Structure formats: C-alpha cells, structure tokens
Amino acid sequence: MDFLPTPLHPLIVHLPIAMTVLLPLFGLGALIAIRRGSRVLPVWALATAMIALTLGSGLLAKETGEDEEDAVEKVVAEQAIGPHEEAADAFIWATGVVLAIAAVGFVGGSVGSAARVVAAGGTLAVLGFGYNVGHTGGQLVYRDGAAAAYTTKGGATPGAATSGSAAADDDRN
C-alpha cells in the first residue's frame, strides 16, 4: 500500500493513547448517568464501545509495530525493543479483560451493576498499562534512537537532536 506513510506505527499509536486517556472519563460518566436515571443499555453501550475501540486501535498499533520491527532492529538492540513489546502485550490483554467485564455490565441486577463498576475502575488500570506502552515507546525513539531507522544520512536528520557520544563529539568541535 504505497499510499500509506512509512513508518505507519508512529501515526497509528496516537489513537490508542488518546482512547486510553478518555476511557476513565467514559466509564465514570456512564456510571454517573446510570445512577441519575439514564437507561443502562445506551449509556453502557457507549462506554463499552469506547473500550472495544481502544482494544481495536491497540491491536492495530501492535500490528504496525511488528511490521516495522525488522527496520528498527537494525538501529536498536532487541533487548531495548522487548520491554515495549511486552508492555503492548500487557495493554492488549488488560484492555481485553476490561472489555469482557464491561460486556457482563449488560446483564441486569446486581451482577451487571457490579460489572459496570469493576469495568469503569478497570479503565484506570488500562490507563496505567497504556502509559507504560507509551513510555517504553518514547524511550525507544528518544533514548535509543529508533527513529534513525527511517531517517537519512546514517540516522541524522537535518535539525534533529542527536544523543550519546556523537552528540558530545559534535559539541567539542
């Protein structure tokens, strides 16, 4: 697909990050709306759909990351990439578990009510897992130089900041 930008992963990852930040607001908002008398089905369906979209966008981000892994491994050691991959896997699993619990929230009575509270609280856990994925991804780019896999002149882009000993050498010249 030549019409898609390369690398695609940095473009895609912003959606699950944004969704992750919004999830607790939708979960809490749904609980408040239901408590105030709103019908459960449409309100909880919106909160559950947001969780499902977060999972879907996370899976897409993971797939694009895996597609670009070979290029990045040419400039960054696998041991640096591993924590980001593991964080992404944990994020996907956590979001999937919260989505499953949210689905139980459609059941009536105390079971559904309890599931909605647990799922809304679980969105905070998803936020924590999402933060970890973003943090480890940021470390790959800014500390370990993963962006160099897609830049020119041996990893140096005009105007880009450099790191490590090369930057120290440049400062002395």
Side-chain angles (χ1 to χ4, degrees):
M1 291 195 257
D2 292 337
F3 60 91
L4 292 174
T6 300
L8 186 57
H9 184 67
L11 178 68
I12 298 296
V13 297
H14 292 90
L15 182 58
I17 290 170
M19 297 289 294
T20 299
V21 171
L22 294 173
L23 277 185
L25 300 175
F26 276 85
L28 181 61
L31 293 179
I32 291 169
I34 291 167
R35 179 166 290 267
R36 290 184 176 173
S38 294
R39 291 182 33 228
V40 172
L41 183 62
V43 171
W44 193 246
L46 178 59
T48 303
M50 292 296 287
I51 299 167
L53 287 170
T54 302
L55 178 59
S57 65
L59 288 167
L60 183 60
K62 183 172 172 27
E63 180 63 29
T64 60
E66 288 173 351
D67 289 348
E68 294 166 14
E69 184 175 7
D70 288 341
V72 173
E73 283 180 337
K74 292 176 182 172
V75 296
V76 176
E78 171 58 35
Q79 67 255 26
I81 297 170
H84 183 56
E85 288 178 321
E86 292 167 10
D89 289 339
F91 171 78
I92 297 297
W93 278 103
T95 308
V97 167
V98 172
L99 179 59
I101 295 168
V104 177
F106 290 107
V107 173
S110 62
V111 170
S113 180
R116 289 188 294 274
V117 170
V118 171
T123 63
L124 292 171
V126 170
L127 177 60
F129 282 102
Y131 172 83
N132 194 35
V133 176
H135 178 70
T136 57
Q139 287 181 321
L140 279 175
V141 173
Y142 296 107
R143 182 191 69 200
D144 301 323
Y150 297 98
T151 58
T152 59
K153 296 182 184 177
T157 301
T162 57
S163 64
S165 62
D169 290 343
D170 288 344
D171 289 341
R172 284 182 248 147
N173 292 332

